Amino acid sequence: KDHPDKGRSQNTLTGYRPMTEKESNSKFCVYTGHAEQYKRRICNNIPYRCEFRNLTDDKETKVCTNKVMRYYEGYEGGTLKLKYRLDYLTKDPKIDWNSWDSFIDSVNIASIKAVIIEDHGLGVINNTAATKVAELLSGSKAKNAKLFVRTKIENPYWMDQFKEKLGNIPITLVVYDHQLAKRIQGERKWYYEKTLGRSALELLGRMTGTEQFGRPELNINTPKAKNAAVLLDENIVFGMNNEQCFLTYRSTLRKLPTNIGRTTTFFAGLIYQSINNTDNRQFEDQCYHSLRCAYDWSKNASKARNMRLGRNFYGDYEMALDNLKGTIKQQAEITSMGDYMNLWNEWSASSEKQGVITKEVEVKEVRGKENEKEKKRIIQLWRGIGTIPKFICVGGPKRDGLNNLANKIAEFKKQGNPKYPLSCLLTGSPGWGKSFLAECLARKFGFTYMDYSVAQMATTTDFVNCLATISSVQNRTGDGLLIFIDEVNSHIEGNPIINLLLGPLWGGVFFYEGKSYRLEPAVWVFASTRGISDFAGGGGTDSDGKVNKGSDFVSRLNGPVIQLDSLGGQKNSEIAVEGLRIEVGSADITDLKRYRHVCSAKSSDSNYKNYRSIKDAQIKTEQVYLMINMLSRIWGSIIKVHEDVLELFHDMFTINGIRSMELFASRFEDINDDTLVGVNVPDLALQKNEELRRHIILPEDWLGDNGKRKPLTPEKAKAEKFIQIET
């Protein structure tokens, strides 16, 4: 800890060889390889001796060329939060490559066990460095050397050199920490009880140079890698070992107040085990042991901080890798997730058509034979919950938009004292859960939630009173707020409400009864049934002569705009849906004859036929998830559903979104034995269900005796036509 060479940078490991018997029985310094007075317990456990060689062009001063200053905020035993980090260079980090070449000439290249690259994004690791390392590893003498990479920057450009020059030689290991993972993918649901999330697979594909199934637009320059691991903040690791994915965790390890230096310790533990092939451990087992080392490092650092030990804050270096020994006592804490490509295919299937996944499962007995596998068709409802807890969204442009919104809110909260508010817009037809989404976001990020509907305000004073309440809550609690304003496209006393929002939204000040009030920056979520183009087209005056400042309002939206009932983003989808909505709005569909006409798909220009033919609409798959969840809340857990019913959920048109689905679900009848079949679906041709015809458009063959499809009973349904439901 007090050695003068500690902290040097731009070093390379040299003289890596097995220790002699004399060295192994003596105390020596790990920096110089010489016997020293330092009583380092770890020295006796290192099977190799090594020394540092500085490759910078300044051979005299031997000073480090970069400095790191971290600014933290924390009190007593509470979590220490990194406010910001400052990296700077004390000198130009030019490497003396002549020194590198002379070093290579002076050592036995065949004895090189490993090359370790750790890139902090300061320019030390560049194309030249990558070329030199690639040439070394691709040579015939160093072909057995292992390459370990840890980077703190996204998609490092020098990886191109590796990809070009290493050829088929794979990297042994690539490691990311949770900060880089979030910077690349944003706020994400990384794993579920059953599998890794989409974003985890995308990240592992990026790290290992594996094909990005479903996301070919990602530009990946990473060469092939055997292993990859990501250390999350909650002491959980997900990774991939030769295209087999896994999750490693210790259920007893809680997140500690001081989580600094964990990834460095974790990375070092993996290198040590890989080089020494400890007990022939699999990579996931190595992650398990290294995770414990990383946790203990944080534990010691937290202890040192709480005891106010000053610069000894970073813990005990001698004990950093103590937990690499021993055996794994609880194998259940290493969960095999399966083959990478199969996982991708399952995620793709879960957001297409009816969301049905085909899986092979082991069964005790199949047709009199033991230990065989049987294919099961299932819907896994948990796949519908992504980054935002409790909000169902299965994929596509809508899920991408919601992930982006969550990222923006997370960045806003991280600022601590933001200068400007974050404002975004949710658009869509009534009933698509705009207020529920805002409430879920507030709960996820720990904001105080306040919601208002402009349509319920009679006067401008009502609206100003809302602003005064918001200001009062901020002054009283100091908490962050998420404010939801519904029907922001409405008028109050003949004036567009957006005209009253402009000053408070951006300037943070409004006037009321001769006094000025201050609004601190908050998250504003606006909702409208009108699209962004209707606002952006503002300016000038409305038909009644009132000034419309819609374009000014749009210019103050510094967050995303999300169309909640979007059907995939393609033009033909929008045309089909808009045409059906116009037809529904202009017809008295409570009249059964007129309703049958709207539900008909016989004519070539039928709006409903065009709607059913849409193939890129993940929101139609979303209807399947929503309906099963709603029915489960009413009838208890549903175990299996007939495929005809799933097809109905997929193809029906909901006039008022989730609100219409909830009403529809409330009218199902006699669901027995946790099984959902056609006979349970309410018949909209009946007079008692007349009001449902204002909410749901069904295929014509589901209507009454004239329909071609006869709703099946459980007894008449074939077993192979049922889909299993997994919550």
Side-chain angles (χ1 to χ4, degrees), residues 684-717:
L684 271 62
L686 300 179
Q687 185 176 357
K688 69 174 183 177
N689 290 325
E690 178 181 319
E691 66 276 15
L692 282 182
R693 298 200 284 271
R694 294 195 296 269
H695 289 268
I696 302 290
I697 303 297
L698 296 182
E700 188 179 16
D701 53 6
W702 279 84
L703 302 178
D705 295 336
N706 294 331
K708 297 179 181 178
R709 188 191 305 267
K710 298 295 183 181
L712 291 170
T713 62
E715 295 75 24
K716 294 183 179 180

Side-chain angles (χ1 to χ4, degrees), residues 645-666:
V645 179
L646 293 180
E647 184 181 345
L648 168 68
F649 292 163
H650 180 269
D651 290 340
M652 69 184 189
F653 181 75
T654 57
I655 299 172
N656 293 304
I658 297 173
R659 191 177 303 154
S660 295
M661 284 184 246
E662 288 176 336
L663 180 61
F664 188 43
S666 69

Side-chain angles (χ1 to χ4, degrees), residues 524-589:
W524 294 78
V525 179
F526 300 105
S528 171
T529 55
R530 292 165 54 180
I532 185 72
S533 58
D534 292 325
F535 287 101
T541 58
D542 290 333
S543 57
D544 58 359
K546 301 292 185 181
V547 175
N548 186 335
K549 296 185 178 181
S551 57
D552 288 343
F553 172 73
V554 171
S555 70
R556 286 163 170 77
L557 294 175
N558 56 357
V561 177
I562 300 175
Q563 173 71 24
L564 277 186
D565 57 354
S566 170
L567 283 134
Q570 294 190 8
K571 198 66 180 176
N572 64 328
S573 302
E574 297 175 4
I575 293 173
V577 172
E578 186 61 27
L580 186 53
R581 282 180 177 153
I582 292 174
E583 183 178 6
V584 168
S586 61
D588 180 15
I589 55 177

Side-chain angles (χ1 to χ4, degrees), residues 276-296:
N276 295 289
N277 197 21
T278 308
D279 300 330
N280 295 315
R281 291 173 183 164
Q282 294 295 317
F283 178 61
E284 45 266 51
D285 297 336
Q286 295 175 8
C287 288
Y288 184 92
H289 285 284
S290 296
L291 175 61
R292 180 69 205 207
C293 292
Y295 174 80
D296 283 348

Side-chain angles (χ1 to χ4, degrees), residues 116-132:
I116 302 167
I117 294 179
E118 186 160 357
D119 184 14
H120 289 245
L122 296 178
V124 177
I125 309 298
N126 52 27
N127 282 338
T128 304
T131 300
K132 292 286 185 180

Side-chain angles (χ1 to χ4, degrees), residues 53 56 71 86 108 123 170 204 217 304 334 356 436 445 509 649 659 668:
R53 180 177 296 189
T56 57
Y71 293 80
L86 177 63
N108 180 6
L204 291 174
E217 71 275 12
I334 299 178
V356 178
F436 180 64
F445 292 103
V509 177
F649 292 163
R659 191 177 303 154
F668 275 62

Side-chain angles (χ1 to χ4, degrees), residues 305 328 707:
R305 173 183 167 234
I328 298 174

